[in-house]
Structure formats: C-alpha cells, structure tokens
Amino acid sequence: MKIKLLTIGKTDNKNLINLIEEYQNRLKHYIKFELEIIPDIKNVKNLSEAQQKEKEGELILAKLQPTDQLVLLDDKGKDFTSIEFSKYLQKKMNSGIKQLVLVIGGPYGFSDAVYKKANGKISLSKMTFSHQMIRLFIVEQIYRGFTILRNEPYHHE
C-alpha cells in the first residue's frame, strides 16, 4: 500500500516544512509515502465560499485514481488514539488497497462532491488547527502509527 497526502496550497512556514520533511524521511523506512500539494486557486477574492470549495473539490477529485481509498481529514471525522490509528492503518494495508489518499482541504473544508466520493473521515482533534499545521500532525501520526505496528518503543504503553 502507498499513502498519499493531498493538500491545498503550499506551506509557507519554513519550520513546519522542515519538520514535515523530517517525518517524510522517517516514513521511507516503513511505507511508500507521497505528499502532493495542489496549488492555491487564483482570484479567490472573487469567489464565494461555496465556489471556492467547488473549485478545490474538482482539483482534488482530478488527482484520484479509480482504485484509491479517499479519506478526508475533517473535524467531524472519527477520533483515534495513536494506537487505534495504527490499527486503522494495519486494517487498510490488510484490505489490499493500493493507495490510501488522505486529504487536507482548504480553509472552508470540502465540496459535497468530495464528501460523496470519500470512503471515510478522520479528525485529529476537536480543536481547530491551521491546515498547514495539520500536515505536520498527520505525517507525524502516520509515522507514529508505523512505529507502533513495528513494536518499537512507545512511551504510552
């Protein structure tokens, strides 16, 4: 299985970029992982919130393969502990899917079309974080999930 993280807009904070890259490098030892950034939409000032979500949704859906499992990072998604998330990753790998695509939407979330196509939703917290910070959090949690699956030392057990 391969994990792809799709995001809208680039990260402009160098510290976040460095930390994300550090976890991406660590992940290479466990699984094929790709971070793909969909460029921000131009002229958003002229678009309503709904129009922006629609345009972002079209770009997200265009990046998917027919066999992809699409999971949205959404504040209304399923909550996991790190151990539960590692079991979730194991279950996905056992299911035989080729690619798990995790998506971080833009500032207004996802279009209805993206919600309809999604195979699930995951929440990283009931709190709200910037969509740039969530990138770091999910990459770190994927890494942590694989270290748990490999029975590497985990300080919460």
Side-chain angles (χ1 to χ4, degrees):
M1 182 178 85
K2 176 181 176 181
I3 298 176
K4 179 190 278 192
L5 178 60
L6 266 181
T7 67
I8 302 283
K10 65 181 183 184
T11 303
D12 51 17
N13 183 310
K14 298 252 188 283
N15 293 318
L16 285 175
I17 293 168
N18 290 337
L19 288 167
I20 291 166
E21 287 173 353
E22 179 179 329
Y23 283 104
Q24 281 182 272
N25 286 330
R26 290 182 186 188
L27 268 173
K28 289 178 188 172
H29 303 290
Y30 300 99
I31 196 162
K32 290 180 183 170
F33 178 84
E34 177 187 357
L35 172 61
E36 185 172 349
I37 299 166
I38 297 171
D40 280 315
I41 295 171
K42 307 282 186 240
N43 300 319
V44 290
K45 293 179 195 93
N46 301 329
L47 299 176
S48 69
E49 182 180 312
Q51 289 170 319
Q52 185 173 341
K53 287 195 303 190
E54 286 300 315
K55 288 196 173 295
E56 289 171 350
E58 290 168 9
L59 296 172
I60 290 166
L61 295 174
K63 296 288 184 181
L64 300 177
Q65 302 301 314
T67 58
D68 287 348
Q69 274 261 317
L70 176 64
V71 177
L72 309 179
L73 294 175
D74 186 280
D75 61 354
K76 293 165 193 65
K78 181 167 175 36
D79 291 319
F80 291 106
T81 65
S82 294
I83 292 171
E84 290 167 344
F85 184 61
S86 72
K87 291 175 183 174
Y88 172 85
L89 291 172
Q90 184 67 64
K91 190 174 174 183
K92 291 294 182 189
M93 288 188 295
N94 292 349
S95 73
I97 62 171
K98 290 184 180 179
Q99 183 164 254
L100 176 63
V101 180
L102 302 171
V103 184
I104 300 170
Y108 303 117
F110 301 103
S111 67
D112 289 340
V114 172
Y115 279 118
K116 285 182 184 130
K117 179 77 173 157
N119 302 99
K121 297 183 287 188
I122 294 175
S123 173
L124 294 183
S125 175
K126 292 185 187 319
M127 294 181 180
T128 302
F129 298 106
S130 77
H131 56 280
Q132 291 189 18
M133 290 181 73
I134 288 297
R135 297 168 194 198
L136 171 61
F137 298 159
I138 190 62
V139 175
E140 190 277 339
Q141 283 299 301
I142 295 167
Y143 168 74
R144 183 179 301 270
F146 280 100
T147 63
I148 291 168
L149 290 175
R150 293 276 174 94
N151 291 318
E152 293 177 15
Y154 182 61
H155 66 279
H156 287 290
E157 286 189 331

